[in-house]
Amino acid sequence: MGRIARTLQQEHGDVEATLSSITAAAVATVPGTDMASVSLVIHRHVHPHAATSQLARDIDALQSEFDQGPCLDALREEMTVRVPDLGAETRWPRFATEAHRRGAGSMLSFQLFTEGDNLGALNLYAELPGSFDAESESVGQIFASHAAIALSAARQESNLRSAMDRRDMIGQAKGILMERHRLTAPQAFELMVRASSHTNRKLFDIADELTSTGAMPTD
């Protein structure tokens, strides 16, 4: 687990790469796992990510389509959900029937994080029924804890990089205005703020267009 934790921390702010590392490591680590994916719920919409197979991707889509399934329960109820046999499952009849028909035998889902309306779950799939046992659940819970930490760190670093990029872009735009109109830094910034208010656009968008075209947006 220590080696896995270090591996998951190596992507340095690349959220999608971190998600791919999580699902690949889950398949290699949690007993019984054949496939894996991560589901992110953003403002009540489920977005599948980093599925290790087309079948895992399809089953994720089924849960979104039917609005039921172990992943959604893990997300909404903040718990671990184990499905021993999808062919005999009665908690989510529409989802279980279709998932079994497509070739999934059993499932195991863990909540990864809760951040306001944003939720995340790790989904593990097996082709055969009875593939997940108490050991799978125990190992999976520890793995999910490490994965949640790695994903949180990647998202924070990504947000920090984005903020720095935006700050640099605004600084470049200020420099253009200062040189072109012989303005001070506060005056150049105020000019962009007024353009943002006048055009009802974000300050970063004003700066991006100015640095890209050399012209201050007027509408």
Side-chain angles (χ1 to χ4, degrees):
M1 281 298 175
R3 177 181 57 79
I4 290 169
R6 289 190 294 273
T7 299
L8 296 180
Q9 294 282 357
Q10 290 175 355
E11 301 303 339
H12 301 297
D14 189 328
V15 174
E16 288 301 323
T18 299
L19 291 170
S20 295
S21 294
I22 287 171
T23 54
V27 172
T29 303
V30 182
T33 304
D34 295 323
M35 304 158 282
S37 70
V38 171
S39 293
L40 303 181
V41 178
I42 302 174
H43 304 308
R44 299 184 180 274
H45 296 287
V46 181
H47 302 273
H49 288 266
T52 61
S53 71
Q54 184 59 49
L55 178 56
R57 189 175 296 109
D58 291 344
I59 295 174
D60 278 354
L62 287 177
Q63 295 191 78
S64 297
E65 177 183 347
F66 295 138
D67 194 31
Q68 60 176 227
C71 163
L72 297 181
D73 279 13
L75 286 166
R76 293 166 177 167
E77 305 300 328
E78 303 182 22
M79 62 182 181
T80 298
V81 181
R82 193 200 318 178
V83 186
D85 185 357
L86 280 162
E89 182 57 60
T90 59
R91 285 174 288 182
W92 320 280
R94 296 176 65 199
F95 162 76
T97 298
E98 185 61 21
H100 181 258
R101 187 188 71 79
R102 297 197 184 199
S106 44
M107 283 187 65
L108 191 56
S109 293
F110 304 90
Q111 187 183 81
L112 282 180
F113 65 87
T114 303
E115 298 175 359
D117 289 337
N118 300 337
L119 310 171
L122 173 65
N123 310 306
L124 309 182
Y125 305 95
E127 296 178 356
L128 297 177
S131 295
F132 299 115
D133 55 17
E135 180 187 7
S136 303
E137 189 168 332
S138 178
V139 172
Q141 287 174 341
I142 299 172
F143 179 89
S145 297
H146 286 295
I149 293 171
L151 182 56
S152 177
R155 294 173 74 180
Q156 288 177 10
E157 187 170 343
S158 177
N159 290 338
L160 179 60
R161 287 184 177 180
S162 178
M164 293 177 65
D165 289 344
R166 288 172 180 267
R167 185 193 65 181
D168 290 345
M169 180 70 71
I170 292 172
Q172 293 174 29
K174 283 169 54 180
I176 292 173
L177 293 175
M178 290 168 65
E179 181 179 3
R180 181 178 300 169
H181 302 292
R182 298 190 179 281
L183 301 174
T184 64
Q187 288 172 334
F189 184 74
E190 178 61 27
L191 186 60
M192 287 195 296
V193 169
R194 288 202 302 268
S196 173
S197 177
H198 178 70
T199 61
N200 197 29
R201 296 171 59 186
K202 293 182 179 179
L203 184 63
F204 172 77
D205 294 333
I206 299 295
D208 185 33
E209 182 169 336
L210 178 57
T211 55
S212 298
T213 67
M216 178 70 80
T218 58
D219 54 33

